[in-house]
Amino acid sequence: MMLAAERRADREIMKILVTGSGGQVGQDLIRGLLERGHEVHGSDVASRPSALGLGDRELPWHLLDVTDLAALRRLIARERPDIIYHLAAILSARGEENPGLTYRVNQGGVYNVLEASREHRVSQVLFASTIAVFGPGLPDPVPDDVHLQPTTMYGVTKVGGELLGEYYNKRYGLDFRAVRFPGLISATLPGGGTSDYAPLMYVESMRTGAYEAFCRADTRIPMMYMPDGIRALIELSEAPRDRLQRTTYNIAAFSPTAEEIADSVARAVPGARITFKSDPTRQAILDSWPNALDDAHARVDWGWAPEFDLERMTEDLVPKLRALLRVNAS
Ligand code: VAH
């Protein structure tokens, strides 16, 4: 059911609101949605990053604190989006520094988005969940349906978000869809994530020639190149509802050790020196996460398949980062 949408060529053009637009996923998602011809509105507690290179005409921007339900109601009533991508969240490592704020932003924020979407008949809500919903002692690879015992407040709030979304789907018919992201690697730097050692290997090796990773060399978690992550969210949104047997899906790409990532970087960035010095707090979080995911349901229900492995990612990312760092250096 499309509200205020119009059909064009091969897809329906939608009006889309993205929360957490200034974050690592948000900036690349916005570019992907604009490339598909959608009308996109950005929102965040911060102003539009200049790095986006977009003005008000291409990307209207709304200052929004997702913990403020009244403000969210006003924005949705005024803009009438067809779809909301809800990305706003405090990530795992930063979340442990202030669990109370993380609960209010992450858990309160997802409740507010679902409630305002229900009230204003938003036709679909996409939610960025994460492998942080999983705790220790799970099978390898980890399937979709296992006991969820996260060790971080971030993980707890993402389990809550998945369950709330399922409730709003069953109780009110809200079309809620979510993917559990692996650690995402991109040129847009993340902030406060425990998987950040991976993108930082690329950025710091190119910026300074060296990087000391805060994890052991044998640390292995599921990873994904951002273009695959963005395509997964959009393809899940575009999937026919009657194909979907669940509301939340594991998605996987590759599961390298930190040392394997470092070796890939060193082959592409000659002279790069990457070392390892495990930080106990962040290592404990990493060790509680899966080594690998089973994403069979996503592949069967809506045709998910990654396009990048570690080497293809390195080949694509390093030139982009070189250009970006040269621009920022000038
Ligand atoms: C984090 N980048 O590190 C996020 C992600 C799988 C990790 O959810 O918190």
Side-chain angles (χ1 to χ4, degrees):
M1 172 188 69
M2 292 302 169
L3 296 176
E6 59 183 85
R7 183 173 292 284
R8 195 190 81 177
D10 60 343
R11 66 164 54 86
E12 273 144 337
I13 300 306
M14 311 297 286
K15 183 169 185 178
I16 297 174
L17 173 66
V18 178
T19 72
S21 300
Q24 181 194 17
V25 177
Q27 294 187 47
D28 287 328
L29 172 65
I30 283 167
R31 291 189 185 96
L33 293 170
L34 289 171
E35 283 165 11
R36 284 165 175 79
H38 295 301
E39 177 189 348
V40 184
H41 285 232
S43 71
D44 204 301
V45 284
S47 54
R48 181 175 46 228
S50 54
L52 268 174
L54 296 168
D56 262 337
R57 194 174 54 79
E58 305 96 338
L59 178 68
W61 190 271
H62 309 277
L63 292 179
L64 174 69
D65 175 350
V66 292
T67 65
D68 182 346
L69 178 53
L72 195 52
R73 281 172 169 148
R74 285 195 299 272
L75 176 58
I76 294 175
R78 186 177 70 243
E79 297 301 339
R80 310 290 294 156
D82 303 303
I83 298 176
I84 294 178
Y85 284 79
H86 179 47
L87 308 178
I90 296 174
L91 300 183
S92 56
R94 183 167 298 154
E96 290 307 291
E97 295 164 7
N98 191 335
L101 177 63
T102 303
Y103 182 84
R104 289 191 298 278
V105 170
N106 295 8
Q107 195 66 75
V110 68
Y111 171 80
N112 290 346
V113 166
L114 291 170
E115 184 60 10
S117 297
R118 177 188 68 81
E119 292 166 349
H120 295 281
R121 292 167 47 77
V122 171
S123 62
Q124 191 183 82
V125 174
L126 277 296
F127 179 62
S129 190
T130 162
I131 62 169
V133 299
F134 299 116
L138 292 176
D140 185 15
V142 173
D144 285 291
D145 299 317
V146 290
H147 178 60
L148 300 178
Q149 195 71 40
T151 61
T152 62
M153 176 59 90
Y154 168 69
V156 168
T157 63
K158 289 296 186 176
V159 172
E162 291 182 10
L163 295 176
L164 265 178
E166 176 91 16
Y167 175 83
Y168 271 76
N169 176 254
K170 294 280 189 296
R171 173 79 187 268
Y172 304 113
L174 179 66
D175 185 359
F176 172 88
R177 306 179 185 196
V179 291
R180 288 170 177 157
F181 277 132
L184 290 170
I185 298 169
S186 67
T188 305
L189 262 190
T194 313
S195 64
D196 293 355
Y197 65 86
L200 287 169
M201 282 186 188
Y202 290 86
V203 173
E204 290 309 310
S205 294
M206 296 177 73
R207 245 170 30 88
T208 67
Y211 176 63
E212 182 178 80
F214 52 74
C215 62
R216 289 189 318 266
D218 67 348
T219 301
R220 182 192 299 277
I221 64 169
M223 291 283 183
M224 183 176 287
Y225 189 30
M226 185 63 80
D228 271 343
I230 299 307
R231 183 171 51 81
L233 270 179
I234 295 173
E235 288 180 359
L236 176 56
S237 171
E238 293 175 347
R241 182 77 234 183
D242 59 7
R243 290 276 309 276
L244 307 181
Q245 303 304 310
R246 54 197 312 115
T247 49
T248 296
Y249 288 88
N250 287 353
I251 53 171
F254 49 94
S255 288
T257 63
E259 188 165 36
E260 287 166 336
I261 303 172
D263 291 345
S264 183
V265 175
R267 286 193 290 273
V269 185
R273 295 182 319 285
I274 297 174
T275 54
F276 299 91
K277 184 180 179 188
S278 176
D279 161 57
T281 304
R282 285 179 286 185
Q283 190 67 60
I285 294 173
L286 290 167
D287 290 344
S288 75
W289 290 350
N291 289 142
L293 294 185
D294 173 350
D295 60 359
H297 289 127
R299 292 167 184 265
V300 169
D301 287 6
W302 46 280
W304 161 247
E307 291 177 1
F308 289 90
D309 59 16
L310 175 59
E311 285 316 308
R312 275 205 65 206
M313 173 180 71
T314 299
E315 286 163 18
D316 189 75
L317 179 56
V318 166
K320 286 178 178 171
L321 268 175
R322 191 165 278 126
L324 193 72
L325 293 170
R326 191 180 302 120
V327 165
N328 290 349
S330 58

